[in-house]
Amino acid sequence: LRFSCRRWGGLVQPGGSLRLSCAASGVSLDYYDYAWFRQVPGKEREGVSCLSRADLSTDYADSVQGRFTISRNSAKNTIYLQMNDLKPEDTAVYYCAASRNSLYCRYYRDPHETHTDYRGKGTLVTVSS
């Protein structure tokens, strides 16, 4: 599985919106749970959101709850992260990841989890006025 990731938009001001996408190739995302992570240099990776393939349930970090939305388009084999009401503290490198583990969403927030099978290249999101 390979991810081709894209950031829809450039520098964002506080309160603005941005969408990230990761198009997968090589295998259908229908067989994976997937998540979005972010990392700031010098800090541990943060699990931002996860979507379970079993029931399409979602999970969000408290820091983004109500502002970010994870979704997928099966026909395009693509996952998305819609980010609204962005804040300067959302500035980070974001990347998508996938796991064959059907319980991935229980583990993804652990910075030391070992269930990630694939990850996309990171894309920098900068929120600044």
PDB file of all heavy atoms in Angstrom, residues 99-117:
ATOM      1  N   SER A  99      -3.643   0.577   9.140  1.00  0.00           N
ATOM      2  CA  SER A  99      -3.312  -0.639   9.869  1.00  0.00           C
ATOM      3  C   SER A  99      -4.291  -1.735   9.505  1.00  0.00           C
ATOM      4  O   SER A  99      -5.489  -1.493   9.355  1.00  0.00           O
ATOM      5  CB  SER A  99      -3.371  -0.381  11.377  1.00  0.00           C
ATOM      6  OG  SER A  99      -3.220  -1.580  12.113  1.00  0.00           O
ATOM      7  N   ARG A 100      -3.782  -2.943   9.407  1.00  0.00           N
ATOM      8  CA  ARG A 100      -4.663  -4.095   9.191  1.00  0.00           C
ATOM      9  C   ARG A 100      -5.369  -4.502  10.479  1.00  0.00           C
ATOM     10  O   ARG A 100      -6.328  -5.257  10.448  1.00  0.00           O
ATOM     11  CB  ARG A 100      -3.856  -5.267   8.634  1.00  0.00           C
ATOM     12  CG  ARG A 100      -3.374  -5.063   7.204  1.00  0.00           C
ATOM     13  CD  ARG A 100      -2.653  -6.308   6.708  1.00  0.00           C
ATOM     14  NE  ARG A 100      -1.372  -6.477   7.392  1.00  0.00           N
ATOM     15  CZ  ARG A 100      -0.229  -6.011   6.918  1.00  0.00           C
ATOM     16  NH1 ARG A 100      -0.204  -5.365   5.765  1.00  0.00           N
ATOM     17  NH2 ARG A 100       0.897  -6.210   7.582  1.00  0.00           N
ATOM     18  N   ASN A 101      -4.879  -4.017  11.600  1.00  0.00           N
ATOM     19  CA  ASN A 101      -5.454  -4.349  12.896  1.00  0.00           C
ATOM     20  C   ASN A 101      -6.821  -3.686  13.034  1.00  0.00           C
ATOM     21  O   ASN A 101      -6.939  -2.458  12.983  1.00  0.00           O
ATOM     22  CB  ASN A 101      -4.522  -3.872  14.008  1.00  0.00           C
ATOM     23  CG  ASN A 101      -4.932  -4.387  15.375  1.00  0.00           C
ATOM     24  OD1 ASN A 101      -6.120  -4.553  15.665  1.00  0.00           O
ATOM     25  ND2 ASN A 101      -3.955  -4.642  16.220  1.00  0.00           N
ATOM     26  N   SER A 102      -7.829  -4.509  13.212  1.00  0.00           N
ATOM     27  CA  SER A 102      -9.188  -3.981  13.295  1.00  0.00           C
ATOM     28  C   SER A 102      -9.457  -3.235  14.598  1.00  0.00           C
ATOM     29  O   SER A 102     -10.528  -2.655  14.772  1.00  0.00           O
ATOM     30  CB  SER A 102     -10.200  -5.107  13.115  1.00  0.00           C
ATOM     31  OG  SER A 102     -10.054  -6.064  14.145  1.00  0.00           O
ATOM     32  N   LEU A 103      -8.502  -3.284  15.526  1.00  0.00           N
ATOM     33  CA  LEU A 103      -8.627  -2.549  16.784  1.00  0.00           C
ATOM     34  C   LEU A 103      -7.684  -1.345  16.822  1.00  0.00           C
ATOM     35  O   LEU A 103      -7.385  -0.812  17.881  1.00  0.00           O
ATOM     36  CB  LEU A 103      -8.318  -3.474  17.967  1.00  0.00           C
ATOM     37  CG  LEU A 103      -9.219  -4.693  18.099  1.00  0.00           C
ATOM     38  CD1 LEU A 103      -8.776  -5.559  19.282  1.00  0.00           C
ATOM     39  CD2 LEU A 103     -10.681  -4.289  18.278  1.00  0.00           C
ATOM     40  N   TYR A 104      -7.244  -0.920  15.639  1.00  0.00           N
ATOM     41  CA  TYR A 104      -6.264   0.168  15.530  1.00  0.00           C
ATOM     42  C   TYR A 104      -6.698   1.419  16.273  1.00  0.00           C
ATOM     43  O   TYR A 104      -5.890   2.091  16.907  1.00  0.00           O
ATOM     44  CB  TYR A 104      -6.061   0.475  14.052  1.00  0.00           C
ATOM     45  CG  TYR A 104      -4.952   1.428  13.716  1.00  0.00           C
ATOM     46  CD1 TYR A 104      -3.707   1.353  14.325  1.00  0.00           C
ATOM     47  CD2 TYR A 104      -5.133   2.388  12.729  1.00  0.00           C
ATOM     48  CE1 TYR A 104      -2.678   2.203  13.974  1.00  0.00           C
ATOM     49  CE2 TYR A 104      -4.117   3.250  12.364  1.00  0.00           C
ATOM     50  CZ  TYR A 104      -2.890   3.152  12.984  1.00  0.00           C
ATOM     51  OH  TYR A 104      -1.880   4.001  12.627  1.00  0.00           O
ATOM     52  N   CYS A 105      -7.983   1.721  16.188  1.00  0.00           N
ATOM     53  CA  CYS A 105      -8.464   2.963  16.796  1.00  0.00           C
ATOM     54  C   CYS A 105      -8.377   2.933  18.324  1.00  0.00           C
ATOM     55  O   CYS A 105      -8.508   3.970  18.965  1.00  0.00           O
ATOM     56  CB  CYS A 105      -9.885   3.277  16.333  1.00  0.00           C
ATOM     57  SG  CYS A 105      -9.957   3.700  14.572  1.00  0.00           S
ATOM     58  N   ARG A 106      -8.172   1.755  18.888  1.00  0.00           N
ATOM     59  CA  ARG A 106      -7.969   1.682  20.338  1.00  0.00           C
ATOM     60  C   ARG A 106      -6.532   2.026  20.708  1.00  0.00           C
ATOM     61  O   ARG A 106      -6.243   2.371  21.851  1.00  0.00           O
ATOM     62  CB  ARG A 106      -8.277   0.280  20.848  1.00  0.00           C
ATOM     63  CG  ARG A 106      -9.718  -0.132  20.730  1.00  0.00           C
ATOM     64  CD  ARG A 106      -9.942  -1.441  21.466  1.00  0.00           C
ATOM     65  NE  ARG A 106     -11.296  -1.952  21.297  1.00  0.00           N
ATOM     66  CZ  ARG A 106     -11.749  -3.054  21.867  1.00  0.00           C
ATOM     67  NH1 ARG A 106     -10.964  -3.768  22.640  1.00  0.00           N
ATOM     68  NH2 ARG A 106     -12.987  -3.435  21.646  1.00  0.00           N
ATOM     69  N   TYR A 107      -5.618   1.916  19.736  1.00  0.00           N
ATOM     70  CA  TYR A 107      -4.196   2.035  20.049  1.00  0.00           C
ATOM     71  C   TYR A 107      -3.543   3.286  19.467  1.00  0.00           C
ATOM     72  O   TYR A 107      -2.464   3.670  19.910  1.00  0.00           O
ATOM     73  CB  TYR A 107      -3.453   0.817  19.510  1.00  0.00           C
ATOM     74  CG  TYR A 107      -3.964  -0.495  20.015  1.00  0.00           C
ATOM     75  CD1 TYR A 107      -4.551  -1.431  19.150  1.00  0.00           C
ATOM     76  CD2 TYR A 107      -3.880  -0.833  21.361  1.00  0.00           C
ATOM     77  CE1 TYR A 107      -5.022  -2.639  19.611  1.00  0.00           C
ATOM     78  CE2 TYR A 107      -4.351  -2.051  21.823  1.00  0.00           C
ATOM     79  CZ  TYR A 107      -4.918  -2.940  20.957  1.00  0.00           C
ATOM     80  OH  TYR A 107      -5.391  -4.138  21.412  1.00  0.00           O
ATOM     81  N   TYR A 108      -4.175   3.904  18.468  1.00  0.00           N
ATOM     82  CA  TYR A 108      -3.456   4.882  17.669  1.00  0.00           C
ATOM     83  C   TYR A 108      -2.988   6.093  18.474  1.00  0.00           C
ATOM     84  O   TYR A 108      -2.038   6.768  18.091  1.00  0.00           O
ATOM     85  CB  TYR A 108      -4.295   5.322  16.473  1.00  0.00           C
ATOM     86  CG  TYR A 108      -5.313   6.402  16.770  1.00  0.00           C
ATOM     87  CD1 TYR A 108      -5.102   7.704  16.347  1.00  0.00           C
ATOM     88  CD2 TYR A 108      -6.466   6.120  17.493  1.00  0.00           C
ATOM     89  CE1 TYR A 108      -6.020   8.701  16.619  1.00  0.00           C
ATOM     90  CE2 TYR A 108      -7.387   7.100  17.768  1.00  0.00           C
ATOM     91  CZ  TYR A 108      -7.167   8.402  17.331  1.00  0.00           C
ATOM     92  OH  TYR A 108      -8.077   9.382  17.611  1.00  0.00           O
ATOM     93  N   ARG A 109      -3.661   6.382  19.572  1.00  0.00           N
ATOM     94  CA  ARG A 109      -3.269   7.562  20.354  1.00  0.00           C
ATOM     95  C   ARG A 109      -1.995   7.319  21.170  1.00  0.00           C
ATOM     96  O   ARG A 109      -1.396   8.268  21.663  1.00  0.00           O
ATOM     97  CB  ARG A 109      -4.388   7.970  21.299  1.00  0.00           C
ATOM     98  CG  ARG A 109      -5.601   8.555  20.600  1.00  0.00           C
ATOM     99  CD  ARG A 109      -6.339   9.454  21.547  1.00  0.00           C
ATOM    100  NE  ARG A 109      -7.757   9.493  21.299  1.00  0.00           N
ATOM    101  CZ  ARG A 109      -8.594  10.223  22.035  1.00  0.00           C
ATOM    102  NH1 ARG A 109      -8.138  10.905  23.060  1.00  0.00           N
ATOM    103  NH2 ARG A 109      -9.883  10.247  21.743  1.00  0.00           N
ATOM    104  N   ASP A 110      -1.610   6.071  21.341  1.00  0.00           N
ATOM    105  CA  ASP A 110      -0.389   5.762  22.080  1.00  0.00           C
ATOM    106  C   ASP A 110       0.803   6.103  21.198  1.00  0.00           C
ATOM    107  O   ASP A 110       0.971   5.516  20.129  1.00  0.00           O
ATOM    108  CB  ASP A 110      -0.391   4.279  22.430  1.00  0.00           C
ATOM    109  CG  ASP A 110       0.864   3.874  23.203  1.00  0.00           C
ATOM    110  OD1 ASP A 110       1.790   4.700  23.349  1.00  0.00           O
ATOM    111  OD2 ASP A 110       0.906   2.724  23.657  1.00  0.00           O
ATOM    112  N   PRO A 111       1.646   7.034  21.620  1.00  0.00           N
ATOM    113  CA  PRO A 111       2.794   7.419  20.783  1.00  0.00           C
ATOM    114  C   PRO A 111       3.740   6.263  20.485  1.00  0.00           C
ATOM    115  O   PRO A 111       4.531   6.335  19.550  1.00  0.00           O
ATOM    116  CB  PRO A 111       3.501   8.496  21.622  1.00  0.00           C
ATOM    117  CG  PRO A 111       2.466   8.997  22.553  1.00  0.00           C
ATOM    118  CD  PRO A 111       1.574   7.819  22.848  1.00  0.00           C
ATOM    119  N   HIS A 112       3.646   5.203  21.256  1.00  0.00           N
ATOM    120  CA  HIS A 112       4.552   4.072  21.091  1.00  0.00           C
ATOM    121  C   HIS A 112       3.854   2.845  20.511  1.00  0.00           C
ATOM    122  O   HIS A 112       4.394   1.742  20.557  1.00  0.00           O
ATOM    123  CB  HIS A 112       5.190   3.726  22.439  1.00  0.00           C
ATOM    124  CG  HIS A 112       5.850   4.899  23.108  1.00  0.00           C
ATOM    125  ND1 HIS A 112       6.978   5.503  22.601  1.00  0.00           N
ATOM    126  CD2 HIS A 112       5.505   5.612  24.207  1.00  0.00           C
ATOM    127  CE1 HIS A 112       7.320   6.518  23.377  1.00  0.00           C
ATOM    128  NE2 HIS A 112       6.435   6.602  24.358  1.00  0.00           N
ATOM    129  N   GLU A 113       2.665   3.053  19.951  1.00  0.00           N
ATOM    130  CA  GLU A 113       1.955   1.906  19.380  1.00  0.00           C
ATOM    131  C   GLU A 113       2.738   1.322  18.217  1.00  0.00           C
ATOM    132  O   GLU A 113       3.503   2.012  17.543  1.00  0.00           O
ATOM    133  CB  GLU A 113       0.536   2.307  18.956  1.00  0.00           C
ATOM    134  CG  GLU A 113       0.459   3.368  17.869  1.00  0.00           C
ATOM    135  CD  GLU A 113       0.614   2.824  16.472  1.00  0.00           C
ATOM    136  OE1 GLU A 113       0.430   1.604  16.262  1.00  0.00           O
ATOM    137  OE2 GLU A 113       0.939   3.624  15.582  1.00  0.00           O
ATOM    138  N   THR A 114       2.527   0.052  17.982  1.00  0.00           N
ATOM    139  CA  THR A 114       3.266  -0.665  16.943  1.00  0.00           C
ATOM    140  C   THR A 114       2.336  -1.307  15.922  1.00  0.00           C
ATOM    141  O   THR A 114       2.698  -2.277  15.251  1.00  0.00           O
ATOM    142  CB  THR A 114       4.145  -1.747  17.579  1.00  0.00           C
ATOM    143  OG1 THR A 114       3.301  -2.632  18.358  1.00  0.00           O
ATOM    144  CG2 THR A 114       5.200  -1.147  18.490  1.00  0.00           C
ATOM    145  N   HIS A 115       1.134  -0.760  15.809  1.00  0.00           N
ATOM    146  CA  HIS A 115       0.148  -1.372  14.924  1.00  0.00           C
ATOM    147  C   HIS A 115       0.048  -0.691  13.567  1.00  0.00           C
ATOM    148  O   HIS A 115      -0.677  -1.164  12.706  1.00  0.00           O
ATOM    149  CB  HIS A 115      -1.223  -1.370  15.605  1.00  0.00           C
ATOM    150  CG  HIS A 115      -1.232  -2.107  16.906  1.00  0.00           C
ATOM    151  ND1 HIS A 115      -1.280  -3.485  16.980  1.00  0.00           N
ATOM    152  CD2 HIS A 115      -1.157  -1.663  18.186  1.00  0.00           C
ATOM    153  CE1 HIS A 115      -1.253  -3.847  18.248  1.00  0.00           C
ATOM    154  NE2 HIS A 115      -1.179  -2.764  19.003  1.00  0.00           N
ATOM    155  N   THR A 116       0.754   0.400  13.385  1.00  0.00           N
ATOM    156  CA  THR A 116       0.732   1.088  12.090  1.00  0.00           C
ATOM    157  C   THR A 116       1.500   0.268  11.069  1.00  0.00           C
ATOM    158  O   THR A 116       2.656  -0.075  11.288  1.00  0.00           O
ATOM    159  CB  THR A 116       1.337   2.489  12.205  1.00  0.00           C
ATOM    160  OG1 THR A 116       0.508   3.297  13.055  1.00  0.00           O
ATOM    161  CG2 THR A 116       1.437   3.143  10.840  1.00  0.00           C
ATOM    162  N   ASP A 117       0.853  -0.063   9.962  1.00  0.00           N
ATOM    163  CA  ASP A 117       1.502  -0.844   8.904  1.00  0.00           C
ATOM    164  C   ASP A 117       2.045   0.035   7.785  1.00  0.00           C
ATOM    165  O   ASP A 117       3.060  -0.290   7.164  1.00  0.00           O
ATOM    166  CB  ASP A 117       0.502  -1.855   8.330  1.00  0.00           C
ATOM    167  CG  ASP A 117       0.120  -2.918   9.344  1.00  0.00           C
ATOM    168  OD1 ASP A 117       1.038  -3.479   9.979  1.00  0.00           O
ATOM    169  OD2 ASP A 117      -1.084  -3.191   9.507  1.00  0.00           O
TER     170      ASP A 117
END
